[in-house]
Amino acid sequence: MLNTIQIKVRGYHLDIFQHVNNARYLEFLEEGRWAFFDDFGGIEFMGDGIAWVVVNININFRAEANFGDVLEVQTRYTKLGNKSITMKQTIINTQTQDLVAEADVTYVCFSKTLKAAIALPDDLRQKIEQAIVVSE
């Protein structure tokens, strides 16, 4: 499953060099993940004392984005572990088709009660496995 959203670069996204500040890309990526989860069936899987905790973000910046650019954030699942999921995200400039940034984001399934990572519930694991197969 691939989810996409578009974000228009605004003045408040820019740094003193007049291109998108690196920290803003993390916000763009997060917005993309929330949209993905909305389309994936909401975040009902966050109930029952379970939370999803980001434990790693690896981002590569490839090209600058500037005021007025429209960026497409693409998000999909790529890897499923026993206690974790990894998502691949790319940010594309829709006008130039340049790859602006790409990131791998890893979450762990976290028990709020135990305060520890736990194995993914079986029903969620099956749903994610199907989403990975569809996007391959």
Side-chain angles (χ1 to χ4, degrees), residues 71-86:
L71 305 177
E72 181 175 275
V73 181
Q74 303 172 344
T75 305
R76 67 185 182 282
Y77 285 129
T78 56
K79 184 178 176 189
L80 179 62
N82 184 43
K83 299 177 183 180
S84 66
I85 56 173
T86 301

Side-chain angles (χ1 to χ4, degrees), residues 6-135:
Q6 291 190 346
I7 297 173
K8 186 170 185 174
V9 176
R10 306 292 183 187
Y12 64 90
H13 295 136
L14 306 179
D15 60 20
I16 62 171
F17 301 108
Q18 298 302 299
H19 60 253
V20 174
N21 180 277
N22 66 77
R24 293 294 183 165
Y25 288 103
L26 294 173
E27 294 172 354
F28 297 167
L29 294 168
E30 184 170 16
E31 188 66 33
R33 291 191 305 276
W34 279 104
F36 178 95
F37 292 136
D38 285 345
D39 289 349
F40 190 65
I43 36 182
E44 72 275 356
F45 57 85
M46 292 183 86
D48 299 327
I50 294 174
W52 289 96
V53 179
V54 173
V55 294
N56 183 273
I57 296 178
N58 184 3
I59 185 169
N60 293 302
F61 301 101
R62 302 296 186 193
E64 69 179 302
N66 298 288
F67 179 76
D69 287 347
V70 176
L71 305 177
E72 181 175 275
V73 181
Q74 303 172 344
T75 305
R76 67 185 182 282
Y77 285 129
T78 56
K79 184 178 176 189
L80 179 62
N82 184 43
K83 299 177 183 180
S84 66
I85 56 173
T86 301
M87 304 179 99
K88 178 71 167 184
Q89 293 188 275
T90 53
I91 300 176
I92 307 292
N93 182 316
T94 62
Q95 290 100 332
T96 65
Q97 295 304 305
D98 288 340
L99 174 63
V100 175
E102 57 187 342
D104 294 304
V105 181
T106 303
Y107 286 86
V108 295
C109 186
F110 188 83
S111 166
K112 294 178 189 177
T113 305
L114 299 174
K115 305 250 187 269
I118 59 171
L120 276 76
D122 288 336
D123 57 335
L124 180 58
R125 171 176 293 286
Q126 290 172 357
K127 189 173 181 180
I128 294 169
E129 284 173 345
Q130 290 172 348
I132 291 173
V133 170
V134 168
S135 65

